[in-house]
């Protein structure tokens, strides 16, 4: 069989060699459709790039890949702003990849990046999954990785930048208890999202240590907003909690809609608190009490840690692998006492 190189791929696809080369480097000059064709054939033929080709060994691309679950909430928007502050100051550009919570898509992106031309990767995991072999591809190719927000406890030799999710969940639950709530429900983001389990543990421990509530009350959200709306409505009517702790802002907004629908008054009948970076939290009626993460700082810190690895100025020490930033409780009227 002919040697599988860029020239061979170009011939098979009837493309110019330069086009295939730029596609494999994930260049913005090449259309998504063309990249897809090139990547598909490269994968089919087990193409491995030659690190010595074109004098690329050791050459910086000035590109950083950022792989995130989505961009539909203010948290990731602020994280990206923090990352851009650092990358722009160093003359770098970022490539954004959205996994939409799909682990297989994350695997595909990482394998593409391992064979492409980026100087480093910033990753917020799509979901909790014990299969991390795809991340080893980056290490093999000498591409530094920093994880942020949604990270894995099972990975040891990687820098992780997070906020104090467990401690903040305890603070949120205690805030509801101190506001007079006797029956607090926890709205859990999908169970496969790592950070959701950490926050739920804070809720459970706070109940056990600081509340007389007999049993925890946990509602796992669905991927579909309307389905979540209906299950939350049924739970509120059936269980009649007087406090809601939403693990993410989307669930808090749905809770407001449900309460309006079934004529539950916030905060008179039920109090609501949520992890949220919504800039409009103070504009909700009533204003939402939030645990606000330092999203911009998380992005800034993750980018700084990545550049330490890119420049090889930093040898990983166990104490430096986990960077934890503090969140803030911002009181709104949704938890006011009456």
């Amino acid at each position: 069989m002919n040697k599988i190189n860029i020239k061979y791929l170009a011939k098979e696809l009837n493309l110019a060699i330069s086009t295939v080369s730029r596609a494999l480097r994930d260049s913005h000059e090449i259309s998504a459709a063309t990249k897809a064709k090139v990547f598909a054939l490269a994968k089919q033929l087990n193409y491995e790039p030659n690190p010595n080709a074109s004098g690329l060994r050791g050459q910086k691309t000035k590109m950083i890949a950022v792989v995130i679950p989505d961009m539909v909430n203010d948290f990731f928007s602020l994280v990206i702003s923090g990352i851009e502050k650092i990358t722009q100051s160093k003359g770098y550009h970022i490539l954004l990849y959205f996994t939409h919570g799909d682990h297989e898509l994350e695997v595909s992106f990482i394998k593409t990046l391992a064979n492409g031309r980026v100087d480093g990767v910033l990753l917020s995991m799509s979901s909790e999954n014990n299969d991390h072999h795809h991340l080893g591809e980056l290490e093999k190719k000498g591409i530094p990785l920093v994880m942020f927000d949604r990270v894995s406890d099972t990975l040891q030799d990687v820098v992780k930048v997070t906020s104090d999710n467990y401690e903040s969940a305890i603070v949120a639950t205690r805030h509801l208890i101190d506001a007079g709530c006797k029956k607090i429900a926890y709205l859990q983001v999908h169970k496969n999202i790592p950070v959701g389990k950490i926050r739920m543990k804070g809720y459970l421990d706070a109940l056990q240590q600081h509340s007389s509530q007999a049993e925890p009350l946990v509602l796992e959200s669905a991927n579909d907003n309307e389905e979540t709306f209906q299950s939350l409505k049924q739970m509120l009517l059936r269980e009649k909690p007087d406090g809601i702790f939403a693990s993410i802002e989307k669930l808090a907004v749905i809770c407001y809609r449900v309460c309006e629908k079934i004529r539950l008054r916030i905060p008179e009948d039920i109090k609501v608190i949520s992890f949220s970076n919504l800039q409009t939290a103070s504009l909700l009626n009533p204003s939402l009490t939030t645990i606000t993460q330092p999203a911009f700082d998380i992005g800034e810190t993750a980018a700084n840690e990545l550049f330490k690895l890119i420049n090889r100025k930093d040898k990983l020490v166990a104490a430096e692998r986990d960077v934890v930033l503090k969140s803030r409780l911002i009181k709104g009227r949704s938890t006011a006492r009456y």
Side-chain angles (χ1 to χ4, degrees):
M1 183 177 181
N2 292 332
K3 182 180 179 182
I4 307 303
N5 52 26
I6 290 179
K7 184 177 180 180
Y8 183 86
L9 294 177
K11 181 180 178 182
E12 289 296 302
L13 294 167
N14 197 27
L15 295 172
I17 294 174
S18 60
T19 298
V20 173
S21 177
R22 288 198 296 271
L24 291 170
R25 295 200 305 271
D26 209 12
S27 170
H28 67 278
E29 300 173 306
I30 306 301
S31 71
T34 299
K35 286 180 188 177
K37 287 195 295 185
V38 172
F39 291 146
L41 183 61
K43 182 178 180 181
Q44 178 186 333
L45 299 177
N46 294 315
Y47 166 75
E48 290 288 339
N50 178 2
N52 294 307
S54 305
L56 291 177
R57 180 179 290 275
Q59 181 180 334
K60 292 287 192 293
T61 66
K62 296 292 184 178
M63 301 295 288
I64 297 296
V66 182
V67 184
I68 58 177
D70 57 57
M71 196 74 156
V72 298
N73 61 51
D74 284 10
F75 174 78
F76 284 114
S77 297
L78 289 168
V79 168
I80 296 301
S81 295
I83 292 170
E84 284 188 320
K85 176 186 173 184
I86 302 304
T87 55
Q88 288 176 3
S89 71
K90 297 182 180 295
Y92 272 69
H93 300 282
I94 64 172
L95 297 170
L96 282 175
Y97 295 83
F98 303 108
T99 63
H100 305 291
D102 185 336
H103 177 71
E104 291 304 315
L105 199 53
E106 177 188 305
V107 171
S108 175
F109 287 152
I110 293 298
K111 287 184 176 180
T112 296
L113 292 168
N115 288 322
R117 293 295 299 164
V118 293
D119 294 337
V121 176
L122 293 167
L123 168 67
S124 184
M125 292 176 62
S126 57
S127 63
E128 181 65 80
N129 194 301
N130 291 325
D131 181 8
H132 302 306
H133 287 96
H134 59 298
L135 300 181
E137 296 296 314
L138 296 174
E139 185 178 3
K140 286 180 188 176
K141 301 297 174 66
I143 300 174
L145 167 69
V146 170
M147 302 180 77
F148 65 92
D149 187 50
R150 299 183 182 183
V151 303
S152 172
D153 291 335
T154 61
L155 288 172
Q156 302 301 322
D157 298 321
V158 61
V159 174
K160 304 168 191 174
V161 180
T162 60
S163 59
D164 53 347
N165 288 291
Y166 173 76
E167 293 80 2
S168 292
I170 290 178
V171 168
T173 308
R174 288 202 62 181
H175 180 71
L176 290 175
I177 294 169
D178 293 342
C181 295
K182 303 298 182 185
K183 190 174 185 179
I184 300 168
Y186 177 76
L187 307 186
Q188 182 187 13
V189 69
H190 195 276
K191 63 183 179 182
N192 287 336
I193 295 178
V195 72
K197 293 195 292 189
I198 297 171
R199 292 173 181 176
M200 187 168 74
K201 187 176 189 311
Y203 158 77
L204 295 173
D205 287 353
L207 280 190
Q208 187 177 44
Q209 297 167 18
H210 305 289
S211 172
S212 59
Q213 184 172 329
E215 296 289 339
L217 180 57
V218 177
L219 177 70
E220 184 182 334
S221 68
N223 288 327
D224 179 75
N225 287 350
E226 186 56 34
E227 187 178 340
T228 298
F229 180 97
Q230 294 300 331
S231 59
L232 178 55
K233 176 184 171 184
Q234 293 168 15
M235 186 272 284
L236 291 180
L237 291 172
R238 181 180 66 250
E239 301 290 345
K240 296 180 171 54
D242 56 3
I244 292 287
F245 175 12
S247 59
I248 59 172
E249 58 200 23
K250 179 181 78 171
L251 297 179
V253 173
I254 293 174
C255 182
Y256 268 61
R257 288 175 48 218
V258 172
C259 287
E260 181 181 17
K261 179 74 173 179
I262 63 177
R263 298 187 178 181
L264 272 180
R265 298 171 301 165
I266 305 172
E268 293 89 345
D269 301 323
I270 190 167
K271 304 185 192 305
V272 182
I273 190 170
S274 176
F275 275 87
S276 175
N277 285 83
L278 273 176
Q279 296 181 9
T280 56
S282 62
L283 301 179
L284 292 174
N285 186 23
S287 57
L288 176 64
T289 296
T290 64
I291 297 291
T292 298
Q293 296 170 273
F296 184 91
D297 295 339
I298 288 173
E300 193 175 33
T301 303
N304 274 325
E305 292 300 319
L306 184 63
F307 279 111
K308 288 180 186 178
L309 297 176
I310 290 172
N311 296 324
R312 302 299 178 193
K313 292 177 180 178
D314 178 30
K315 291 185 178 179
L316 282 180
V317 179
E320 298 174 348
R321 286 180 184 154
D322 294 316
V323 183
V324 181
L325 305 178
K326 285 192 171 295
S327 301
R328 291 185 301 145
L329 171 66
I330 300 177
K331 294 180 183 179
R333 288 197 303 111
S334 68
T335 56
R337 297 198 69 158
Y338 280 84

